[in-house]
Amino acid sequence: KLPTLDTETANRLVELVEQAKSAGDYTKEQAEIFQEVYELLGSKIPMNGWEKFESWRKFSMLANPKTHLKNTLSNVAMMPLRKSDDALSQAIEWFLPQSERTRALGWSFTDHGQSIKGVVDEATERAVLEMGNLGKYDLSDSAILKARKTFKDKGVGKLFNKASSLNSRMLEKEDEIFFKPAFRDNLGQIMTARGMDTVTPEVYDMAMNRALEATFRVNNKLNQYIQKIKKSDSKVAKAVADVIIPFAKTPANLLERAFDYSPIGLGHAGADLVSKLRGTSGKASADIVHEFAKGITGSALLALGLYLGNAGIINTEYRTGEKQRAADELTGEQQNSIRIGDSTVAIDWLQPVA
């Protein structure tokens, strides 16, 4: 619920809206104006006691160095997987009309790629700013609510606000390192594959969705369902959901990516293809191709994992029996690990690749 605004704030909002209209669409300037609007409105919506407690509790978890390390490494682990399914997608897309293609690896080295670098870079700068309002760890995806401060800027409250803001910026920057090239590459590939010179809402949104997917930020159905519970009228349901699942978006995305890159994802792609051929699905052909590519890539990785497991290079569990398990622990053996020489290195944190 938006607050009642004083005259000064209302007038400033009108000025910002007019400035946004004058700025070019999909530009950094327009995105910065929108950001000021969010911050101005957010400053007028104070947090209640429960929201302040939740903000403090989540900060305590997110400030842990392990969170930052896992956040970075999970993004690193997905890069070769994404490039593999990109290559496979491009090979399959040769059977589609040019106007429906989305993959063009090495686009920036082509003559067309060189000619569109400027508009791609400009759109990327705006996308990065928008990405900041689609946080994985916040109470809400609302950019206005995200702009609020937990406590008043006085004493200890001011210190907490600064520390929380700094930690959030660090997490955003970590994701930005991967989001920015993912968006730029996706947009450049789509425009080159289709021979486009200007950024349209369709290709911008397509590149945005794929970049969000690459950095585990998609607002998928599971996340929407959990957020619906958190916003329900039942205080008990809201409290339980917040305590059990403080951060819904990242786990929901990890689970979805794990399904996408597996035989399950391959089966889902097959079902979508059948629906498309029957005329009962409006899903784009390129999206179905992308689903197939992810399913095939993930299934191949699963087969490799099974082979390495049978070869004793990957461990998924301790040997059965208390004595055998105790011996494994004493000798440094680990569950869900890969063997390197005489040592084992845990890989269970390497989600969703692991």
Side-chain angles (χ1 to χ4, degrees), residues 271-323:
D272 282 344
L273 177 60
V274 171
S275 297
K276 181 77 172 179
L277 294 174
R278 289 178 175 176
T280 57
S281 171
K283 182 169 288 189
S285 298
D287 289 338
I288 297 176
V289 168
H290 195 211
E291 288 178 356
F292 269 111
K294 288 188 289 187
I296 293 171
T297 302
S299 297
L301 185 63
L302 176 62
L304 176 62
L306 291 171
Y307 171 78
L308 294 176
N310 288 330
I313 298 175
I314 287 181
N315 300 322
T316 56
E317 59 186 2
Y318 292 116
R319 289 180 293 173
T320 56
E322 292 185 10
K323 291 184 178 180

Side-chain angles (χ1 to χ4, degrees), residues 82-117:
R82 287 192 292 107
K83 282 301 177 184
S84 297
D85 71 62
D86 275 359
L88 187 55
S89 291
Q90 183 172 342
I92 303 174
E93 283 187 2
W94 279 110
F95 296 97
L96 299 180
Q98 184 180 10
S99 60
E100 296 181 21
R101 296 174 188 171
T102 62
R103 300 293 83 185
L105 292 175
W107 67 272
S108 60
F109 300 104
T110 65
D111 291 339
H112 186 269
Q114 291 291 327
S115 69
I116 62 172
K117 272 188 175 181

Side-chain angles (χ1 to χ4, degrees), residues 234-252:
S234 171
K235 293 183 179 180
V236 174
K238 289 170 65 175
V240 170
D242 275 331
V243 171
I244 296 177
I245 314 174
F247 312 111
K249 184 173 285 186
T250 302

Side-chain angles (χ1 to χ4, degrees), residues 13 16 32-45 133 143-149:
L13 285 174
L16 290 171
E32 288 176 340
I33 294 171
F34 286 145
Q35 182 61 33
E36 186 174 344
V37 170
Y38 303 148
E39 291 176 356
L40 186 59
L41 289 172
S43 67
K44 304 297 180 180
I45 308 176
N133 290 320
I144 296 173
L145 295 180
K146 188 174 184 291
R148 296 184 301 172
K149 292 183 178 180

